[in-house]
């Protein structure tokens, strides 16, 4: 951890304002949830990701999608890679490109080909499926398939199936 030199007082209701500069740097948005951890001397706030809390499920799902499709498969939350499988897939914890973040925020499945694909990971894919994960009207992230060749309808269906699986897990 690094010191920021910023001090804040706790108000009468126990609230502390996180400075705008820190919220901007950490890409924290209004309404976003934070996890609170404590040690004997520290209170640590961490951005909460529903998908990150389902790490084993995410990993199993992308492995299954990768084996079924033959393409690299990735689960992302709003900021980073949560799980990945396949040789061309970016590593877990890597930040997602801003262009991908914007596409996910549209809340629609997108199929990209050739020059429109978003470079993501080690190799530039020739096709991508970006399938948002929505549950109870909220956006939790996306499943991304990175195809070395073109994308098929089966690839789109696999991504959609994965998103439905997560939606059901989140709604429990």
């Amino acid at each position: 951890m690094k010191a920021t030199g910023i001090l804040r007082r706790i108000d009468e209701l126990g609230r502390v304002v996180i400075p705008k500069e820190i919220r901007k740097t950490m890409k924290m948005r209004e309404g976003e949830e934070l996890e609170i951890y404590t040690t004997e001397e520290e209170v640590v706030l961490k951005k909460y990701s529903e998908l990150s809390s389902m790490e084993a499920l995410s990993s199993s799902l992308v492995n299954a999608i990768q084996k079924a499709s033959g393409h690299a498969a990735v689960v992302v939350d709003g900021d980073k890679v949560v799980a990945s499988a396949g040789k061309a897939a970016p590593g877990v914890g890597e930040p997602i490109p801003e262009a991908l973040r914007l596409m996910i925020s549209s809340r629609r499945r997108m199929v990209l080909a050739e020059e429109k694909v978003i470079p993501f990971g080690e190799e530039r894919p020739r096709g991508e499926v970006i399938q948002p994960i929505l549950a109870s009207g909220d956006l939790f992230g996306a499943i991304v398939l990175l195809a070395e060749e073109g994308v098929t309808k089966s690839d789109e269906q696999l991504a959609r199936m994965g998103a439905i699986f997560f939606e059901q897990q989140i709604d429990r």
Side-chain angles (χ1 to χ4, degrees):
M1 275 191 285
K2 62 181 179 183
T4 63
I6 300 171
L7 298 176
R8 289 289 191 251
R9 293 200 187 283
I10 300 172
D11 73 10
E12 64 276 356
L13 296 176
R15 297 177 296 200
V16 176
V17 174
I18 300 171
K20 184 176 184 176
E21 303 83 35
I22 293 174
R23 292 192 318 262
K24 185 176 180 181
T25 301
M26 299 294 297
K27 296 181 175 91
M28 300 168 99
R29 295 174 285 284
E30 183 180 328
E32 200 166 43
E33 294 180 331
L34 299 174
E35 287 184 277
I36 302 170
Y37 297 91
T38 61
T39 67
E40 289 184 21
E41 298 179 6
E42 297 174 318
V43 175
V44 178
L45 302 176
K46 181 180 174 188
K47 288 177 68 171
Y48 178 72
S49 167
E50 186 82 33
L51 295 176
S52 289
S53 69
M54 294 190 279
E55 184 179 329
L57 283 175
S58 299
S59 182
S60 294
L61 185 67
V62 294
N63 281 316
I65 290 173
Q66 190 274 324
K67 284 180 180 160
S69 68
H71 305 310
V74 181
V75 172
V76 299
D77 61 14
D79 300 310
K80 66 186 177 314
V81 175
V82 173
S84 69
K87 67 176 181 134
V92 173
E94 283 190 34
I96 65 173
E98 186 62 29
L100 179 57
R101 184 188 334 275
L102 292 172
M103 288 185 170
I104 293 168
S105 69
S106 75
R107 299 171 166 246
R108 295 187 336 252
R109 177 187 324 127
M110 296 196 179
V111 179
L112 307 175
E114 299 295 335
E115 68 280 346
K116 294 186 179 184
V117 298
I118 299 168
F120 188 42
E122 293 180 18
E123 299 175 21
R124 184 180 180 96
R126 296 186 68 172
E128 289 177 325
V129 177
I130 302 165
Q131 175 67 55
I133 299 169
L134 300 164
S136 302
D138 294 326
L139 179 64
F140 288 88
I143 294 177
V144 182
L145 266 66
L146 307 167
E148 291 177 16
E149 302 300 320
V151 173
T152 67
K153 287 289 182 194
S154 295
D155 297 331
E156 292 181 54
Q157 290 171 337
L158 277 172
R160 178 69 185 128
M161 183 268 323
I164 290 169
F165 174 80
F166 276 118
E167 292 162 11
Q168 290 173 343
Q169 298 301 311
I170 292 167
D171 281 340
R172 285 186 175 176

